[in-house]
Amino acid sequence: MPVSLVIADDHPLMLKGLSDFLTSKGYHVIGSAKDGQSAYNLIVKLKPEVAILDIRMPYKTGLEVAEACKKII
């Protein structure tokens, strides 16, 4: 069974390219977000096995998202 992923990046070209690449390699991208708050909401809702987060994003950084997710697990 493929690994489920949520990806987040505030650059649309990077987000699309990463999503397409990971999908072509057999990963299951279950969600993508353009900012940290949306990424956090998706992770809490969808509970992916892996989250790939951009470090610098609007509203919450990737590190802040990871820290907030760690607190609820």
Side-chain angles (χ1 to χ4, degrees), residues 1-6 27-30 46-51:
M1 192 146 128
V3 174
S4 62
L5 300 165
V6 165
Y27 294 95
H28 183 55
V29 179
I30 58 174
L46 302 176
K47 299 184 182 3
E49 295 172 78
V50 176

Side-chain angles (χ1 to χ4, degrees), residues 26-54:
Y27 294 95
H28 183 55
V29 179
I30 58 174
S32 62
K34 296 178 182 176
D35 63 70
Q37 186 61 52
S38 298
Y40 175 78
N41 293 341
L42 279 176
I43 293 166
V44 169
K45 179 181 176 184
L46 302 176
K47 299 184 182 3
E49 295 172 78
V50 176
I52 300 174
L53 306 168
D54 186 7

Side-chain angles (χ1 to χ4, degrees), residues 12-13 15 18-21 24 26 30 40-41 44 46-47 49 53-54 57 60 64 66 72:
L13 186 60
L15 190 61
L18 187 56
S19 179
D20 291 349
F21 175 75
S24 75
I30 58 174
Y40 175 78
N41 293 341
V44 169
L46 302 176
K47 299 184 182 3
E49 295 172 78
L53 306 168
D54 186 7
M57 291 185 288
K60 285 186 186 227
E64 291 170 334
I72 63 168

